[in-house]
């Protein structure tokens, strides 16, 4: 019973352990890819939600027994995790927990502040509910755990609350207090006795618990039967917990699920609101044709239809609400990654919504082509050539002329090209020249041409030539891309596709905070091949989408 004086940190290990387990499961996908998917499936929403307040900021659930995951691992990663988490607790997982642990582990941040007293600082309430298959065995475990804490110097307290035996230890010598009970097929742990009492009250007063919350019920209806992990977020409460001031709150809650399919790990999410949701584009039942003009080497691609409608859509409202979470400053991190958009607005005097989005009413695809040798990446923008496009180009010509740029056209291998260029006089003189000579050089600010039924815009002539001459090796024929979008439900509203192997350096350079995230989720990022994001679903008050993560073999 070594290190028993550190047993007071057991509740901290429970919190860290549940979160780490979900992160690790994501990172394990590369080991699970060839295993039967039904080993990880669940058919119901988390039962532990009955103990959680409907006002709780976050509730995360693992809906399968960890041993079922462990049967799929190759290098003992889960075993190592269990050992490291329990090393200072005096608990042996195989002997003390495995005999009774069921098919659910639910962890919740139940409240932002347990005593609701702002003067003494915030102390969030944490609750963990572990399903038990053998209540008597789990009671023995509970008694064992607290007896060991007493031997370590803790002050044990036992009381009966609503007919249920509560055990707690709030000794000042302990790093964190801990309370536990066995209730209705679950072993409950909390970081405060009040949190445990509230959990019991939530069971006995159905209108208080998460399971009876109308938005939660609607959200759990969206869970796929193959989900093995879920997370439910009360978004205003999450903002309060993290000290964020949201600019507006359109969406009240969100549910996330993780499931496996033959193509990768699918994280589906649904955002709920009482307001109207306007789709970002009409439903698309086939791949966007504009992708046929995106080079295979693209690292980041956005494709959909009808940019004119984007600003009024549910996606736009979601981004307005969510970007504060990413940056905590109201700035737009997406513009940092898709740098061409920011440069057009900042350097070229172009209002994206008015000068470009307004006339893109058909299909479109925007791609960033990373190049390790350049500080700024090249880009390609493909637009379906509908009647409004010629007027839109004329408007861009007028903006270019007002900024002193020249509009010219020429042929490149019999393909007519239009260009916006900045003319500069260049002085050339050698030691033998008696007088300098002058030349006019054109610096290209953008080029475009017509191919088929699409207008192709590019950052420079070299990139446009790549589109013209290598159409047969476009992204639409890329096997990884085809497999990725095949796993996204149809109809949908297009895709955001990130080839992580090609764009990792670019994204890390523009979003330095991502490097910290990569450290925390190393098993995920070090084996990530690509991720594909899409929005789909058409139910009132619901914005639904998913992220498919594919990993290296």
């Amino acid at each position: 019973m070594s290190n028993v004086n550190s047993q007071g940190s057991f509740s901290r290990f429970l919190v860290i352990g549940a979160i780490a387990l979900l992160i690790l499961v994501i990172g394990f996908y590369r080991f699970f890819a060839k295993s039967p998917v039904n080993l990880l499936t669940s058919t119901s929403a988390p039962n532990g939600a009955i103990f959680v307040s409907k006002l709780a900021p976050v509730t995360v659930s693992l809906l399968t027994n960890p041993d079922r995951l462990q049967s799929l691992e190759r290098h003992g990663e889960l075993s190592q995790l269990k050992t490291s988490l329990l090393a200072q607790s005096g608990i042996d997982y195989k002997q003390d927990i495995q005999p009774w642990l069921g098919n659910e582990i639910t962890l919740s941040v139940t409240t932002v502040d347990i005593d609701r007293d702002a003067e003494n600082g915030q102390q969030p309430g944490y609750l963990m509910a572990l399903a038990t298959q053998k209540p008597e065995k789990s009671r023995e475990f509970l008694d064992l755990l607290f007896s060991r804490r007493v031997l370590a110097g803790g002050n044990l307290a036992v009381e009966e609350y609503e007919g249920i035996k509560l055990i707690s230890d709030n000794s000042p010598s302990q790093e964190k207090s801990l309370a536990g009970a066995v209730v209705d097929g679950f072993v409950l742990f909390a970081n405060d006795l009040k949190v445990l009492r509230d959990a019991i009250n939530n069971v006995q007063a159905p209108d208080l618990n998460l399971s009876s919350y109308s938005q939660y019920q609607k959200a759990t209806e969206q869970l796929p039967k193959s989900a093995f992990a879920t997370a439910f977020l009360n978004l205003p409460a999450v903002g309060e917990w993290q000290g964020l001031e949201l600019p507006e709150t359109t969406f009240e809650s969100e549910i996330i699920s993780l499931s496996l399919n033959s193509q990768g790990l699918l994280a589906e999410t649904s955002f709920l609101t009482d307001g109207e949701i306007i789709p970002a584009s009409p439903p698309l039942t086939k791949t966007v044709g504009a992708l046929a003009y995106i080079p295979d080497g693209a690292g980041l691609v956005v494709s959909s239809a009808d940019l004119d409608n984007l600003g009024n859509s549910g996606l736009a409202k979601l981004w307005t609400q969510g970007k504060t979470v990413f940056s905590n400053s109201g700035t737009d991190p997406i513009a940092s990654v898709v740098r061409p958009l920011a440069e057009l607005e900042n350097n070229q005097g172009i209002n994206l919504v008015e000068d470009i989005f307004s006339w893109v009413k058909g299909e479109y695809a925007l791609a960033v082509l990373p190049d390790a040798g350049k500080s700024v990446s090249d880009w390609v923008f493909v637009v379906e050539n509908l009647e409004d496009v010629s007027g839109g180009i004329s408007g861009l010509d007028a903006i270019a002329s007002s900024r002193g740029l020249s509009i010219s056209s020429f042929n490149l291998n019999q393909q007519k090209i239009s260009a916006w260029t900045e003319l500069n006089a260049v002085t050339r003189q050698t030691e033998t020249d008696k007088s300098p000579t002058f030349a006019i050089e054109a610096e290209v600010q953008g080029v475009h041409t017509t191919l088929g039924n699409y207008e192709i815009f590019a950052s420079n002539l070299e990139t446009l030539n790549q589109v013209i001459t290598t159409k047969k090796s476009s992204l639409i024929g890329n096997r990884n891309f085809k497999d990725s979008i095949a796993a996204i439900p149809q109809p949908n509203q297009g895709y955001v596709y990130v080839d992580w192997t090609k764009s990792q350096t670019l994204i890390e350079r523009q979003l330095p905070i991502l490097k910290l995230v990569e450290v925390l989720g190393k098993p995920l990022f070090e084996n990530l091949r690509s991720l594909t994001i899409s929005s789909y679903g058409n139910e009132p008050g619901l914005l639904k989408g998913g992220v498919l993560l594919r990993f290296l073999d």
Side-chain angles (χ1 to χ4, degrees), residues 230-548:
T230 69
F232 183 77
L233 288 78
N234 181 321
L235 297 177
V238 170
E240 180 186 356
W241 175 36
Q242 296 299 311
L244 302 174
E245 294 183 9
L246 301 180
E248 59 179 275
T249 303
T250 301
F251 298 94
E252 296 292 329
S253 57
E254 174 189 9
I255 194 164
I256 304 168
S257 67
L258 296 180
S259 57
L260 298 176
N261 61 43
S262 60
Q263 300 302 333
L265 177 67
L266 182 62
E268 287 195 292
T269 184
S270 297
F271 293 89
L272 288 84
T273 178
D274 293 330
E276 181 184 7
I277 298 294
I278 299 175
S281 76
L284 303 176
T285 57
K286 60 181 181 180
T287 305
V288 173
L291 289 166
Y293 298 93
I294 298 299
D296 185 37
L300 172 64
V301 181
V302 181
S303 63
S304 186
D306 197 5
L307 267 173
D308 183 37
N309 191 50
L310 183 61
N312 299 318
S313 70
L315 282 176
K317 292 180 179 180
L318 174 62
W319 183 244
T320 299
Q321 181 173 332
K323 67 183 180 181
T324 303
V325 176
F326 290 102
S327 64
N328 203 21
S329 62
T331 58
D332 194 337
I334 290 297
S336 298
V337 177
V338 190
R339 182 63 66 86
L341 298 181
E343 290 185 342
L344 285 174
E345 289 202 304
N346 297 333
N347 300 335
Q348 304 301 329
I350 291 176
N351 183 301
L352 290 174
V353 174
E354 296 178 5
D355 300 329
I356 296 181
F357 292 4
S358 62
W359 49 266
V360 180
K361 298 182 178 179
E363 295 180 346
Y364 68 87
L366 170 67
V368 178
L369 286 73
D371 188 331
K374 296 182 179 180
S375 58
V376 178
S377 299
D378 295 328
W379 54 267
V380 177
F381 185 43
V382 183
V383 180
E384 188 177 5
N385 215 336
L386 302 182
E387 59 182 357
D388 293 332
V389 172
S390 60
I393 294 174
S394 296
L396 294 178
D397 287 342
I399 294 173
S401 294
S402 70
R403 296 183 62 82
L405 300 181
S406 298
I407 297 104
S408 57
S409 61
F410 53 88
N411 289 324
L412 176 65
N413 297 327
Q414 299 183 336
Q415 177 71 34
K416 184 178 179 181
I417 309 294
S418 299
W420 297 293
T421 58
E422 182 178 4
L423 300 179
N424 296 295
V426 179
T427 303
R428 295 192 179 98
Q429 186 174 17
T430 66
E431 293 180 358
T432 59
D433 290 335
K434 294 182 179 180
S435 59
T437 59
F438 298 92
I440 301 296
E441 290 187 352
E443 182 179 349
V444 175
Q445 301 294 318
V447 292
H448 65 98
T449 190
T450 303
L451 290 174
N453 193 38
Y454 294 90
E455 194 71 18
I456 319 294
F457 300 82
S459 53
N460 52 55
L461 189 57
E462 292 80 8
T463 301
L464 186 59
N465 182 61
Q466 183 181 351
V467 174
I468 296 170
T469 59
T470 62
K471 183 181 175 183
K472 290 184 179 180
S473 60
S474 67
L475 182 69
I476 208 167
N478 180 290
R479 171 53 57 185
N480 185 57
F481 177 73
K482 291 169 69 174
D483 288 345
S484 296
I485 63 176
I488 302 294
Q490 287 188 341
N492 56 57
Q493 296 170 3
Y495 314 101
V496 176
Y497 173 75
V498 179
D499 188 319
W500 186 249
T501 61
K502 296 174 182 175
S503 59
Q504 179 179 2
T505 301
L506 165 69
I507 297 176
E508 287 175 341
R509 186 168 63 237
Q510 304 303 334
L511 295 175
I513 193 174
L514 185 62
K515 292 184 178 181
L516 175 60
V517 177
E518 289 181 48
V519 171
L520 296 176
K522 186 177 179 181
L524 167 65
F525 285 95
E526 69 179 2
N527 299 293
L528 184 61
R529 177 196 293 272
S530 65
L531 57 93
T532 306
I533 306 169
S534 184
S535 174
Y536 44 86
N538 193 25
E539 297 184 34
L542 194 70
L543 180 61
K544 186 173 183 178
V547 181
L548 179 77

Side-chain angles (χ1 to χ4, degrees), residues 47-53 127 129 161-162 164 183-186 188 195-212:
N47 293 320
I50 196 171
F51 300 104
V52 178
S53 166
L127 177 73
Y161 182 76
E162 301 293 339
I164 296 168
V183 186
D184 293 344
F186 280 86
L188 303 185
V195 174
L196 201 56
R197 294 194 192 103
D198 288 343
I200 295 170
N201 292 339
N202 289 333
V203 176
Q204 298 183 350
D207 59 322
L208 298 178
N209 68 52
L210 191 59
S211 294
S212 64

Side-chain angles (χ1 to χ4, degrees), residues 81-206:
L81 176 66
K82 293 170 186 173
T83 300
S84 63
L85 291 175
L86 300 176
Q88 296 181 339
S89 68
I91 299 298
D92 181 279
Y93 172 82
K94 187 174 182 178
Q95 178 180 332
D96 299 328
I97 299 178
Q98 188 181 55
W100 57 262
L101 184 61
N103 293 324
E104 179 180 335
I105 301 174
T106 290
L107 169 70
S108 179
V109 180
T110 60
T111 179
V112 174
D113 191 9
I114 294 174
D115 63 6
R116 297 181 176 84
D117 185 355
E119 294 185 0
N120 61 8
Q122 264 190 8
Q123 185 189 2
Y126 296 103
L127 177 73
M128 175 172 271
L130 299 94
T132 175
Q133 303 177 97
K134 299 178 180 179
E136 287 304 317
K137 282 282 186 183
S138 53
R139 287 189 181 92
E140 292 175 9
F141 163 74
L142 203 63
D143 291 337
L144 172 67
L145 171 64
F146 281 95
S147 65
R148 288 176 176 174
R149 291 173 66 88
V150 170
L151 293 175
N155 292 328
L156 187 66
V158 180
E159 67 174 76
E160 187 171 298
Y161 182 76
E162 301 293 339
I164 296 168
K165 177 183 175 182
L166 308 186
I167 308 176
S168 62
D169 177 1
N170 58 358
S171 170
S173 65
Q174 301 287 355
E175 185 179 328
K176 291 284 185 180
S177 62
L178 182 67
V182 178
V183 186
D184 293 344
F186 280 86
V187 178
L188 303 185
F189 289 105
N191 65 327
D192 191 279
L193 196 56
K194 185 179 186 304
V195 174
L196 201 56
R197 294 194 192 103
D198 288 343
I200 295 170
N201 292 339
N202 289 333
V203 176
Q204 298 183 350

Side-chain angles (χ1 to χ4, degrees), residues 217-240:
Q217 292 174 347
K218 183 177 180 180
T220 53
E221 290 174 359
Q222 305 301 317
L223 293 176
K225 289 185 177 180
S226 58
F228 65 87
T230 69
F232 183 77
L233 288 78
N234 181 321
L235 297 177
V238 170
E240 180 186 356

